[in-house]
Short mmCIF file of all heavy atoms in Angstrom, two decimals:
data_model
loop_
_atom_site.label_atom_id
_atom_site.label_comp_id
_atom_site.label_asym_id
_atom_site.label_seq_id
_atom_site.Cartn_x
_atom_site.Cartn_y
_atom_site.Cartn_z
N ALA A 1 -38.92 -8.54 3.99
CA ALA A 1 -37.99 -9.33 4.69
C ALA A 1 -37.56 -8.41 5.96
O ALA A 1 -37.00 -7.37 5.79
CB ALA A 1 -36.70 -9.55 3.90
N ARG A 2 -37.96 -8.90 7.13
CA ARG A 2 -37.78 -8.14 8.37
C ARG A 2 -36.86 -8.75 9.41
O ARG A 2 -36.33 -8.03 10.33
CB ARG A 2 -39.13 -7.82 8.94
CG ARG A 2 -40.11 -7.11 8.18
CD ARG A 2 -41.52 -6.96 8.86
NE ARG A 2 -42.39 -6.16 7.97
CZ ARG A 2 -43.19 -6.65 7.03
NH1 ARG A 2 -43.06 -8.02 6.84
NH2 ARG A 2 -43.99 -5.96 6.30
N THR A 3 -36.61 -10.05 9.30
CA THR A 3 -35.78 -10.72 10.35
C THR A 3 -34.64 -11.61 9.69
O THR A 3 -34.88 -12.02 8.59
CB THR A 3 -36.73 -11.63 11.16
OG1 THR A 3 -37.34 -12.63 10.31
CG2 THR A 3 -37.73 -10.86 11.93
N VAL A 4 -33.59 -11.70 10.47
CA VAL A 4 -32.55 -12.53 10.12
C VAL A 4 -32.04 -13.42 11.30
O VAL A 4 -32.21 -13.10 12.42
CB VAL A 4 -31.32 -11.67 9.66
CG1 VAL A 4 -30.85 -10.74 10.64
CG2 VAL A 4 -30.25 -12.50 8.99
N GLN A 5 -31.52 -14.56 10.93
CA GLN A 5 -30.96 -15.47 11.94
C GLN A 5 -29.65 -16.07 11.44
O GLN A 5 -29.55 -16.38 10.26
CB GLN A 5 -32.00 -16.50 12.32
CG GLN A 5 -31.73 -17.29 13.59
CD GLN A 5 -32.91 -18.07 13.97
OE1 GLN A 5 -34.02 -18.19 13.28
NE2 GLN A 5 -32.82 -18.60 15.21
N PHE A 6 -28.73 -16.28 12.36
CA PHE A 6 -27.41 -16.80 12.01
C PHE A 6 -27.20 -18.17 12.69
O PHE A 6 -27.61 -18.36 13.82
CB PHE A 6 -26.30 -15.78 12.50
CG PHE A 6 -26.47 -14.48 11.89
CD1 PHE A 6 -27.23 -13.50 12.47
CD2 PHE A 6 -25.79 -14.21 10.75
CE1 PHE A 6 -27.38 -12.26 11.93
CE2 PHE A 6 -25.88 -12.91 10.12
CZ PHE A 6 -26.63 -11.94 10.79
N PHE A 7 -26.62 -19.06 11.86
CA PHE A 7 -26.41 -20.51 12.32
C PHE A 7 -24.91 -20.79 12.09
O PHE A 7 -24.32 -20.54 10.95
CB PHE A 7 -27.30 -21.39 11.53
CG PHE A 7 -28.82 -21.20 11.75
CD1 PHE A 7 -29.41 -20.16 10.96
CD2 PHE A 7 -29.50 -22.02 12.54
CE1 PHE A 7 -30.79 -19.98 11.20
CE2 PHE A 7 -30.89 -21.84 12.70
CZ PHE A 7 -31.51 -20.79 12.06
N ASN A 8 -24.28 -21.31 13.14
CA ASN A 8 -22.89 -21.85 13.02
C ASN A 8 -22.90 -23.31 13.24
O ASN A 8 -22.91 -23.75 14.34
CB ASN A 8 -21.99 -21.13 13.96
CG ASN A 8 -20.59 -21.59 13.90
OD1 ASN A 8 -20.11 -22.14 12.90
ND2 ASN A 8 -19.86 -21.46 15.04
N GLU A 9 -22.96 -24.09 12.18
CA GLU A 9 -23.15 -25.55 12.21
C GLU A 9 -24.40 -25.84 13.11
O GLU A 9 -25.48 -25.44 12.63
CB GLU A 9 -21.75 -26.20 12.79
CG GLU A 9 -20.72 -25.93 11.94
CD GLU A 9 -19.33 -26.42 12.45
OE1 GLU A 9 -19.23 -26.56 13.69
OE2 GLU A 9 -18.44 -26.56 11.66
N ASN A 10 -24.34 -26.31 14.29
CA ASN A 10 -25.55 -26.65 15.09
C ASN A 10 -25.96 -25.64 16.17
O ASN A 10 -26.82 -25.88 16.94
CB ASN A 10 -25.42 -28.13 15.65
CG ASN A 10 -25.47 -29.18 14.62
OD1 ASN A 10 -26.20 -29.06 13.61
ND2 ASN A 10 -24.60 -30.10 14.71
N ARG A 11 -25.25 -24.50 16.16
CA ARG A 11 -25.58 -23.46 17.03
C ARG A 11 -26.22 -22.35 16.24
O ARG A 11 -25.98 -22.14 15.08
CB ARG A 11 -24.23 -22.91 17.78
CG ARG A 11 -23.62 -23.98 18.61
CD ARG A 11 -22.30 -23.58 19.23
NE ARG A 11 -21.64 -24.50 20.06
CZ ARG A 11 -20.52 -24.37 20.63
NH1 ARG A 11 -19.88 -23.24 20.58
NH2 ARG A 11 -19.98 -25.34 21.38
N PHE A 12 -26.95 -21.49 17.01
CA PHE A 12 -27.65 -20.47 16.23
C PHE A 12 -27.99 -19.29 17.19
O PHE A 12 -28.07 -19.31 18.38
CB PHE A 12 -28.96 -20.92 15.59
CG PHE A 12 -29.93 -21.72 16.63
CD1 PHE A 12 -30.87 -21.06 17.23
CD2 PHE A 12 -29.77 -23.06 16.80
CE1 PHE A 12 -31.74 -21.64 18.23
CE2 PHE A 12 -30.63 -23.74 17.74
CZ PHE A 12 -31.58 -23.04 18.39
N SER A 13 -28.29 -18.10 16.54
CA SER A 13 -28.71 -16.96 17.24
C SER A 13 -30.19 -16.93 17.38
O SER A 13 -30.86 -17.66 16.69
CB SER A 13 -28.12 -15.64 16.56
OG SER A 13 -28.98 -15.40 15.34
N GLN A 14 -30.72 -15.99 18.09
CA GLN A 14 -32.10 -15.76 18.12
C GLN A 14 -32.49 -14.96 16.79
O GLN A 14 -31.65 -14.31 16.28
CB GLN A 14 -32.57 -14.95 19.35
CG GLN A 14 -32.16 -13.46 19.39
CD GLN A 14 -30.79 -13.36 20.04
OE1 GLN A 14 -29.91 -14.13 19.83
NE2 GLN A 14 -30.67 -12.22 20.82
N PRO A 15 -33.78 -14.98 16.34
CA PRO A 15 -34.10 -14.13 15.28
C PRO A 15 -33.95 -12.61 15.66
O PRO A 15 -34.28 -12.18 16.71
CB PRO A 15 -35.62 -14.51 15.07
CG PRO A 15 -35.84 -15.81 15.67
CD PRO A 15 -34.94 -15.83 16.90
N LEU A 16 -33.34 -11.90 14.68
CA LEU A 16 -32.96 -10.49 14.93
C LEU A 16 -33.75 -9.62 13.90
O LEU A 16 -33.86 -10.02 12.73
CB LEU A 16 -31.52 -10.30 14.84
CG LEU A 16 -30.66 -11.08 15.87
CD1 LEU A 16 -29.15 -10.98 15.37
CD2 LEU A 16 -30.80 -10.53 17.20
N GLU A 17 -34.12 -8.51 14.37
CA GLU A 17 -34.78 -7.53 13.43
C GLU A 17 -33.75 -6.90 12.55
O GLU A 17 -32.69 -6.41 13.06
CB GLU A 17 -35.61 -6.43 14.18
CG GLU A 17 -36.74 -6.89 14.99
CD GLU A 17 -37.92 -7.16 14.01
OE1 GLU A 17 -37.89 -6.55 12.90
OE2 GLU A 17 -38.76 -8.06 14.31
N LEU A 18 -33.96 -6.92 11.21
CA LEU A 18 -32.96 -6.18 10.33
C LEU A 18 -33.15 -4.68 10.64
O LEU A 18 -34.18 -4.19 10.93
CB LEU A 18 -33.43 -6.43 8.88
CG LEU A 18 -33.05 -7.81 8.36
CD1 LEU A 18 -33.86 -8.08 6.93
CD2 LEU A 18 -31.58 -8.05 8.13
N PRO A 19 -32.02 -3.99 10.51
CA PRO A 19 -32.02 -2.55 10.67
C PRO A 19 -32.92 -1.76 9.76
O PRO A 19 -33.54 -0.70 10.19
CB PRO A 19 -30.53 -2.09 10.35
CG PRO A 19 -29.76 -3.38 10.72
CD PRO A 19 -30.56 -4.51 10.24
N GLU A 20 -33.23 -2.32 8.57
CA GLU A 20 -34.32 -1.84 7.84
C GLU A 20 -34.95 -2.95 6.96
O GLU A 20 -34.17 -3.96 6.67
CB GLU A 20 -33.77 -0.70 6.83
CG GLU A 20 -32.86 -1.13 5.84
CD GLU A 20 -32.40 0.01 4.82
OE1 GLU A 20 -32.66 1.21 5.28
OE2 GLU A 20 -31.94 -0.29 3.75
N GLU A 21 -36.11 -2.83 6.51
CA GLU A 21 -36.76 -3.92 5.81
C GLU A 21 -36.11 -4.09 4.45
O GLU A 21 -35.62 -3.06 3.84
CB GLU A 21 -38.22 -3.68 5.66
CG GLU A 21 -39.07 -3.67 6.92
CD GLU A 21 -40.47 -3.56 6.77
OE1 GLU A 21 -40.87 -3.13 5.66
OE2 GLU A 21 -41.31 -3.72 7.67
N ALA A 22 -36.10 -5.23 3.95
CA ALA A 22 -35.41 -5.59 2.68
C ALA A 22 -36.46 -6.18 1.74
O ALA A 22 -37.54 -6.64 2.15
CB ALA A 22 -34.19 -6.39 2.89
N LEU A 23 -36.05 -6.45 0.54
CA LEU A 23 -36.90 -7.06 -0.50
C LEU A 23 -36.25 -8.31 -1.05
O LEU A 23 -35.14 -8.32 -1.49
CB LEU A 23 -37.14 -6.13 -1.66
CG LEU A 23 -38.00 -6.59 -2.81
CD1 LEU A 23 -39.40 -6.77 -2.40
CD2 LEU A 23 -37.91 -5.57 -4.03
N ALA A 24 -37.05 -9.42 -1.01
CA ALA A 24 -36.66 -10.68 -1.59
C ALA A 24 -37.25 -10.72 -3.02
O ALA A 24 -38.53 -10.48 -3.10
CB ALA A 24 -37.03 -11.89 -0.74
N VAL A 25 -36.53 -11.06 -4.01
CA VAL A 25 -37.06 -10.92 -5.38
C VAL A 25 -36.41 -12.02 -6.31
O VAL A 25 -35.31 -12.50 -6.10
CB VAL A 25 -36.80 -9.52 -5.97
CG1 VAL A 25 -35.24 -9.25 -6.01
CG2 VAL A 25 -37.42 -9.37 -7.31
N ASP A 26 -37.23 -12.59 -7.17
CA ASP A 26 -36.69 -13.45 -8.17
C ASP A 26 -35.80 -12.73 -9.11
O ASP A 26 -36.25 -11.93 -9.91
CB ASP A 26 -37.91 -14.12 -8.94
CG ASP A 26 -37.38 -15.22 -9.90
OD1 ASP A 26 -36.49 -15.04 -10.55
OD2 ASP A 26 -38.13 -16.24 -9.91
N ARG A 27 -34.44 -13.05 -9.15
CA ARG A 27 -33.58 -12.27 -9.94
C ARG A 27 -33.77 -12.40 -11.34
O ARG A 27 -33.69 -11.40 -12.15
CB ARG A 27 -32.10 -12.70 -9.53
CG ARG A 27 -31.02 -12.05 -10.34
CD ARG A 27 -30.91 -10.52 -10.13
NE ARG A 27 -30.06 -9.89 -11.16
CZ ARG A 27 -28.79 -9.80 -11.03
NH1 ARG A 27 -28.14 -10.31 -9.88
NH2 ARG A 27 -28.05 -9.34 -11.93
N ALA A 28 -34.10 -13.54 -11.91
CA ALA A 28 -34.31 -13.74 -13.26
C ALA A 28 -35.44 -12.95 -13.85
O ALA A 28 -35.35 -12.32 -14.87
CB ALA A 28 -34.51 -15.23 -13.60
N GLN A 29 -36.57 -12.91 -13.05
CA GLN A 29 -37.72 -12.10 -13.49
C GLN A 29 -37.45 -10.66 -13.34
O GLN A 29 -37.91 -9.87 -14.15
CB GLN A 29 -38.90 -12.49 -12.63
CG GLN A 29 -39.42 -13.88 -12.89
CD GLN A 29 -39.80 -14.09 -14.44
OE1 GLN A 29 -40.48 -13.21 -15.07
NE2 GLN A 29 -39.42 -15.21 -14.89
N LEU A 30 -36.61 -10.17 -12.31
CA LEU A 30 -36.25 -8.76 -12.19
C LEU A 30 -35.50 -8.29 -13.29
O LEU A 30 -35.71 -7.28 -13.95
CB LEU A 30 -35.53 -8.63 -10.86
CG LEU A 30 -34.92 -7.18 -10.66
CD1 LEU A 30 -36.09 -6.12 -10.55
CD2 LEU A 30 -34.08 -7.11 -9.42
N ASP A 31 -34.47 -9.09 -13.72
CA ASP A 31 -33.64 -8.68 -15.00
C ASP A 31 -34.53 -8.66 -16.18
O ASP A 31 -34.37 -7.65 -17.02
CB ASP A 31 -32.60 -9.70 -15.09
CG ASP A 31 -31.43 -9.48 -14.12
OD1 ASP A 31 -31.48 -8.61 -13.30
OD2 ASP A 31 -30.32 -10.13 -14.27
N HIS A 32 -35.40 -9.48 -16.38
CA HIS A 32 -36.31 -9.58 -17.50
C HIS A 32 -37.14 -8.32 -17.54
O HIS A 32 -37.34 -7.69 -18.57
CB HIS A 32 -37.21 -10.85 -17.48
CG HIS A 32 -37.87 -11.11 -18.82
ND1 HIS A 32 -38.97 -11.94 -18.87
CD2 HIS A 32 -37.70 -10.53 -20.03
CE1 HIS A 32 -39.45 -11.85 -20.14
NE2 HIS A 32 -38.65 -11.08 -20.94
N THR A 33 -37.74 -8.01 -16.44
CA THR A 33 -38.59 -6.73 -16.35
C THR A 33 -37.75 -5.53 -16.56
O THR A 33 -38.30 -4.63 -17.31
CB THR A 33 -39.20 -6.70 -14.88
OG1 THR A 33 -39.94 -7.85 -14.60
CG2 THR A 33 -39.99 -5.41 -14.77
N LEU A 34 -36.56 -5.45 -16.12
CA LEU A 34 -35.71 -4.27 -16.37
C LEU A 34 -35.31 -4.19 -17.87
O LEU A 34 -35.25 -3.17 -18.50
CB LEU A 34 -34.39 -4.29 -15.53
CG LEU A 34 -34.61 -3.98 -14.08
CD1 LEU A 34 -33.34 -4.30 -13.30
CD2 LEU A 34 -35.02 -2.50 -13.84
N ALA A 35 -35.08 -5.43 -18.49
CA ALA A 35 -34.78 -5.44 -19.87
C ALA A 35 -35.85 -4.84 -20.73
O ALA A 35 -35.70 -4.11 -21.69
CB ALA A 35 -34.35 -6.80 -20.33
#
């Protein structure tokens, strides 16, 4: 995950680079793996 964009009803920002890359993950599977 490298970019983020903000929307206020029908207005929006341009795509912005995140200050650092992030990870999108399926939480249910992550918890199961940790268990």
Side-chain angles (χ1 to χ4, degrees):
R2 300 179 178 87
T3 58
V4 62
Q5 196 165 5
F6 299 89
F7 298 79
N8 179 24
E9 297 174 339
N10 292 320
R11 300 179 180 178
F12 53 90
S13 73
Q14 70 270 36
L16 300 168
E17 290 287 330
L18 286 166
E20 67 176 18
E21 292 183 351
L23 178 68
V25 61
D26 185 320
R27 176 63 190 276
Q29 291 304 316
L30 175 61
D31 282 4
H32 191 198
T33 302
L34 288 171

